[in-house]
Amino acid sequence: MKTVKAELSSSPAQTKLMPLRYCLVLTFLLIAGSAGAADLAELQEKALSNREVVQAYIADLEQSRRDVTLARSGLYPSVDLSYTANWLDEATAIEDRENQVASGRISWNIFAGFRDKYRIKSAKLLRQAEYHQLQGLKQDIKLAVALRYLAIFEQRANLRVAEDSVSTLRRLSEDAVNRYGVGLIRKSEMLKFQVDLDNAVIAEKKARAELAKSIALLGREVGVTVDAEGLTFEEFAELPAVPAREAYENEMLASRSEIRFLEELVGAAAMQVKVERARYYPSVDLAGVYNKYDDPPNSFTTDDDELRTQLTLSMNLFDGFAKKARVGAARLEKESLHYDLAETRRDLQVELSNLFLDYLVSVDNVVVADNGIDQAEENLRAIRVAYEEGVAVESELLDAVANLSRAKFNFVTAKSEGFATHFRIIRMVEQL
C-alpha cells in the first residue's frame, strides 16, 4: 500500500514554514487510495445525490411550481357543464311535473383589481424563495461534509502523533529496564517510564477510536459507507491566502441564500398586499350560458334551448372591515420580513468578520506551533544527551517527550482550525 507525506504549511501571504522534521512527517503520513481515491468535491457531490433531505426540499420546490400554475388559473376562463332533472308533486302552468335542463357555461373574469396578476408574481417569488432555500441546504451539506472530512484528517494526524509518542516511550522504557538491570537507575525511576508509556498507549487507543467515529460520521453525511483508505486529503497541502474581507462581504450580501430567501419573501409579501387591496375594486365577469330544455307541451316557451350572454359588474361596499384587516395584516407581514432581512444581514456581516479574525489567528498559530516543534525537538535532544551522561533525571526526559507530543498536537489543532474556518468563510459566500 502506497503512502504519501502531507506537509502542513501556512498561507503564502504569511511567513513560510520551515520544513517539518522527521517526527512531524511521520505524524502526517496519509494513506492514499489508488483508482478508487476520493477527494472532498466527490464526497460532497455524493452527499447531494444520496441525502433524502435534499430530495424533500426538491419536492417542496416542485410544489411551489404547482402553486404558480394555480395562481395562473385565474387568467383562464372556466367551463362548466350541468344537467338538472326536476320532479314536482304536480305540474304548474309553466312547468311540467317532470322536466330536465342541460346547461353549459363559460365564464371569464375580465377585471378584479389586478388580483390575479399580483397572485402570479407572489407565487413566482415564493418559488424563487424555495429555490434559494434549497441552495442554502446544499451549501450546508457541503460544509458538513468538509468538516467531517477535515475531522478524519485531524484524527488521523493525531493518531500518528500518539503512535510516535508510544514508539518513543517504548524505546525509553526498554532502555530504562536495561539500565535498571545493570544498577544504573532505581526501580522507581524505571517504573516512571512504564507509567508514561501506559498513558501514551491509552491515548493512542482513544485517538484510534476517535478516528473510527469520524469516519462513521462522514459516512452519515455522505449517505454511503466511506472507504477511509481511499481518502486523498490533497486539499490540505497548505492553508489558502487570506482573502479580502470587503470583497467577500459584498459577495455574501449579494448571493447568500438566507438573504436571497428573505428578499424573495419580502417581494412576495408586497405582492400579497396588492392582492388584498384588489378587493376594493369592482369585479367584471363575462359569461356565456347555453341551456337545453326538455320542453313540455304546456310550457310558455317556444324554443327548447337558450343561448345567453351575461356581463356582470359587482363590487363589495362593506364586509365588516374585513378588507381593511386583510390589507393591514399583509402590510405587517411585509414589515416583519423587512426587519428579519435587516437583522440577518447584520448577523452575517458580524459572523463573517469574526471568521476572518479567527482565520488570521489560525495562520499565526500554525507558524508559532511549527516553531514550537523545532524547540521541543532540540530540547528533547539535549535532555536525552544529558540523561545518558547522568546529568538529567528521568522526569526531565519524560517531560521533554511530553512537550514534543504537545507541540505536535498544537500544530495539528492550529492547522485544522484554520481549514475549518476557511470552509466556513467559503460557505458564507456560497462557494463550497
Side-chain angles (χ1 to χ4, degrees):
M1 185 171 293
K2 184 180 178 181
T3 58
V4 296
K5 295 181 290 184
E7 294 184 353
L8 298 180
S9 58
S10 70
S11 164
Q14 307 299 320
T15 303
K16 188 175 181 180
L17 298 180
M18 298 295 291
L20 303 180
R21 301 299 183 265
Y22 69 95
C23 60
L24 186 58
V25 173
L26 290 176
T27 302
F28 291 100
L29 283 176
L30 304 176
I31 306 297
S34 55
D39 59 15
L40 177 57
E42 292 173 354
L43 292 172
Q44 289 172 329
E45 291 304 317
K46 286 183 180 179
L48 295 181
S49 300
N50 297 327
R51 293 293 297 275
E52 286 81 1
V53 66
V54 177
Q55 303 305 318
Y57 272 74
I58 292 176
D60 291 339
L61 182 60
E62 182 63 26
Q63 181 178 349
S64 67
R65 184 179 291 109
R66 299 289 195 274
D67 292 338
V68 174
T69 302
L70 289 175
R72 286 182 178 276
S73 64
L75 298 177
Y76 297 96
S78 176
V79 180
D80 300 277
L81 296 175
S82 65
Y83 174 80
T84 304
N86 300 302
W87 291 271
L88 283 70
D89 56 348
E90 60 182 22
T92 66
I94 61 173
E95 188 174 2
D96 198 11
R97 186 173 178 274
E98 295 182 4
N99 61 86
Q100 299 86 32
V101 180
S103 299
R105 179 183 180 88
I106 300 178
S107 57
W108 188 24
N109 175 258
I110 299 177
F111 180 76
F114 304 107
R115 179 180 55 201
D116 294 325
K117 173 184 175 181
Y118 297 132
R119 278 179 177 171
I120 294 171
K121 288 185 176 181
S122 177
K124 286 182 177 180
L125 291 171
L126 290 175
R127 182 189 173 198
Q128 283 297 113
E130 291 288 346
Y131 171 78
H132 292 306
Q133 199 168 24
L134 174 61
Q135 296 305 113
L137 172 69
K138 290 182 178 180
Q139 287 290 310
D140 288 337
I141 290 177
K142 286 185 174 182
L143 175 61
V145 171
L147 295 178
R148 296 299 186 191
Y149 182 73
L150 175 62
I152 295 177
F153 176 75
E154 180 181 7
Q155 294 302 331
R156 182 173 288 183
N158 286 337
L159 177 60
R160 298 302 185 193
V161 174
E163 290 174 342
D164 186 49
S165 178
V166 169
S167 177
T168 301
L169 288 171
R170 181 169 286 115
R171 290 195 302 269
L172 293 176
S173 180
E174 292 172 353
D175 181 66
V177 171
N178 295 332
R179 285 172 173 267
Y180 171 71
V182 297
L184 294 179
I185 61 174
R186 297 188 302 271
K187 183 176 182 180
S188 60
E189 296 172 340
M190 179 196 69
L191 292 176
K192 288 181 180 180
F193 287 95
Q194 185 60 46
V195 170
D196 276 27
L197 175 60
D198 291 342
N199 289 334
V201 171
I202 292 174
E204 179 189 356
K205 291 180 179 179
K206 288 183 178 180
R208 198 176 300 278
E210 291 298 324
L211 175 60
K213 289 192 288 185
S214 296
I215 294 172
L217 289 172
L218 177 61
R220 170 64 185 94
E221 293 294 341
V222 176
V224 296
T225 303
V226 175
D227 178 15
E229 302 301 325
L231 301 179
T232 62
F233 299 113
E234 295 176 353
E235 299 83 358
F236 304 131
E238 63 179 24
L239 278 173
V242 179
R245 188 181 69 83
E246 293 78 7
Y248 267 57
E249 181 174 328
N250 293 335
E251 178 66 20
M252 178 191 69
L253 294 177
S255 62
R256 178 78 181 197
S257 295
E258 287 88 340
I259 294 177
R260 299 295 303 278
F261 172 75
L262 288 172
E263 287 175 343
E264 301 295 352
L265 289 186
V266 169
M271 293 299 105
Q272 193 61 35
V273 172
K274 294 182 178 181
V275 169
E276 297 301 336
R277 290 182 60 185
R279 297 175 184 272
Y280 286 101
Y281 295 92
S283 178
V284 180
D285 296 276
L286 179 66
V289 183
Y290 173 78
N291 294 320
K292 175 67 175 178
Y293 299 97
D294 179 16
D295 192 20
N298 59 348
S299 174
F300 70 92
T301 60
T302 58
D303 297 320
D304 60 356
D305 58 358
E306 176 189 65
L307 180 61
R308 179 178 300 181
T309 301
Q310 295 176 331
L311 180 66
T312 304
L313 174 65
S314 61
M315 183 177 182
N316 175 264
L317 299 179
F318 182 73
D319 61 354
F321 305 105
K323 291 190 293 292
K324 181 179 180 181
R326 289 190 181 98
V327 172
R331 285 175 175 170
L332 290 174
E333 177 67 16
K334 177 186 173 182
E335 291 179 7
S336 176
L337 290 171
H338 263 299
Y339 296 140
D340 290 342
L341 177 59
E343 287 291 317
T344 299
R345 283 173 173 164
R346 293 192 186 98
D347 289 343
L348 291 174
Q349 286 174 314
V350 173
E351 183 179 354
L352 181 64
S353 178
N354 290 340
L355 286 173
F356 269 91
L357 292 175
D358 291 341
Y359 190 70
L360 291 173
V361 171
S362 296
V363 171
D364 292 338
N365 286 345
V366 169
V367 177
V368 174
D370 180 63
N371 292 333
I373 290 174
D374 290 338
Q375 296 168 4
E377 287 179 342
E378 180 60 25
N379 180 61
L380 176 59
R381 186 194 64 78
I383 295 293
R384 179 174 290 180
V385 172
Y387 175 75
E388 292 173 352
E389 294 177 352
V391 179
V393 297
E394 72 284 342
S395 60
E396 293 177 300
L397 181 58
L398 292 173
D399 287 343
V401 174
N403 288 336
L404 179 57
S405 295
R406 188 181 304 112
K408 293 178 181 180
F409 279 121
N410 289 341
F411 186 87
V412 172
T413 300
K415 200 57 183 280
S416 298
E417 288 178 351
F419 272 107
T421 305
H422 168 70
F423 287 139
R424 291 187 173 94
I425 290 175
I426 298 301
R427 166 65 183 95
M428 295 294 289
V429 294
E430 307 275 333
Q431 291 181 2
L432 273 175

